[in-house]
Amino acid sequence: MRSFLAAHLGVPVVAAQVQGGGFTPGIAVRLDLGGEWVFVKAIPVGHPLAAKYRTEAATAVRLPRQVPAPRLRWHGDQAGWVVLIFDDVAGTHPDLSPGSPDIGITVAALSAMTEILTPTPAGDLPSTSATRGRWLRGWAELSQSLPDDLGDWERRHLPVLADLESRWLGGADGSTLVHGDIRPDNLLITSAGTVMVVDWAQPGNGAAWQDITDLIPHLIMAGHTPQAAETTLTGVPAWEAVPPDVITGYAAAYAGYWTRMARRPDPPGVPHLRAYQRRASQAALAWTKYRTS
Ligand SMILES: Nc1ncnc2c1ncn2[C@@H]1O[C@H](COP(=O)(O)OP(=O)(O)O)[C@@H](O)[C@H]1O
Ligand SMILES: [Mg+2]
């Protein structure tokens, strides 16, 4: 891979570190070009996910400078690959476990980012209702063909869950550029304590609460109770402004999405995705139970 990149990018590559954080079967690699590091993402042009890489490039170039995201240095097609070259970020994913100092700075960074991205700098993007609304659901579909291993609580509450899961759409519209895929592996905290947001491949325009609220299932996965996870967002304007039933609907939609997806066969080249989705579905279910009990 290193020689491929050296040959096709026309630069000598001194060292390469493959980044395994995400779930996309493309290349994600930090490259040492001889004292200067860059981060390269690439995927074959014919791959079904290539369009996401192009969306990411189109979004990254439009982000205002104040947004804490690595600068896209170059993008284009090279030798049959869609290639994106970013400034490198030396950092680690935030630790969202209870008591972690990363939580406060992550919440503050996402809250500030949302304000910078309102009004959206990319007015022609589709709305989040159109983008995320297509996949962020599951209970109605699960009701049509009931999996044998569906839990008792889910089975008993299926009609309620199927009703709830579309309610977040009633609060989804807005004039903020929403990242749409906020989770620890798309965040990097530098040694100086700066939170950088990467992987802008699922953007949409919508209500400001969505990105910050996406931390909640991940806080629960990291060991928070649902109540404690929500408490970490206290005082964030976008969170405080959302009608409660919109958030309850959002929790149910995530629970339905992950419950549905975790039961699909493994996609080729992505071995750990379903196990992750099973854990995520448990967290989102705990959140939904907390909000509906
Ligand atoms: N600019 C960057 N500098 C250093 N590492 C990065 C950079 N952008 C992303 N990464 C790392 O690479 C991983 C995969 O990149 P990401 O853009 O999230 O792609 P994927 O589509 O595979 O999720 C991230 O989880 C992160 O750890
Ligand atoms: Mg990612």
Side-chain angles (χ1 to χ4, degrees), residues 21-24 41 181 183 185-186 198-199:
F23 291 109
T24 311
K41 278 179 88 164
D181 196 13
R183 41 182 223 208
D185 57 85
N186 287 334
V198 304
D199 204 357

Side-chain angles (χ1 to χ4, degrees), residues 32-246:
D32 180 356
L33 307 180
E36 192 190 7
W37 285 79
V38 293
F39 174 74
V40 178
K41 278 179 88 164
I43 195 158
V45 290
H47 193 281
L49 293 173
K52 278 189 145 193
Y53 283 60
R54 297 192 194 283
T55 301
E56 178 175 356
T59 314
V61 295
R62 297 173 72 180
L63 293 175
R65 223 173 1 91
Q66 311 92 296
V67 170
R71 187 174 57 96
L72 181 60
R73 295 188 175 201
W74 186 88
H75 66 101
D77 290 8
Q78 274 287 326
W81 292 70
V82 182
V83 180
L84 283 69
I85 306 179
F86 290 94
D87 283 352
D88 180 63
V89 178
T92 52
H93 302 308
D95 167 10
L96 299 184
S97 61
S100 162
D102 292 356
I103 296 171
I105 55 178
T106 301
V107 168
L110 291 178
S111 178
M113 179 181 91
T114 290
E115 287 180 20
I116 297 164
L117 291 175
T118 310
T120 176
D124 56 332
L125 279 174
S127 68
T128 55
S129 323
T131 54
R132 320 184 79 209
R134 273 208 314 273
W135 54 264
L136 193 47
R137 56 189 166 72
W139 298 114
E141 190 175 317
L142 288 162
S143 319
Q144 300 298 312
S145 93
L146 222 54
D148 293 340
D149 61 346
L150 198 67
D152 269 354
W153 188 89
E154 296 91 293
R155 205 175 282 270
R156 275 186 284 119
H157 292 85
L158 260 177
V160 180
L161 292 165
D163 173 53
L164 274 179
E165 69 177 352
S166 56
R167 292 207 193 165
W168 71 274
L169 291 165
D173 290 342
S175 56
T176 300
L177 172 55
V178 175
H179 175 280
D181 196 13
I182 293 295
R183 41 182 223 208
D185 57 85
N186 287 334
L187 302 169
L188 289 165
I189 304 188
T190 69
S191 55
T194 303
V195 178
M196 298 292 271
V197 183
V198 304
D199 204 357
W200 292 78
Q202 301 196 40
N205 289 322
W209 56 265
Q210 295 174 71
D211 279 342
I212 193 93
T213 304
D214 282 352
L215 285 177
I216 291 178
H218 298 284
L219 287 157
I220 298 171
M221 263 190 276
H224 286 80
T225 62
Q227 184 179 21
E230 290 193 350
T231 301
T232 67
L233 303 189
T234 301
V236 173
W239 164 258
E240 301 288 357
V242 205
D245 70 313
V246 168

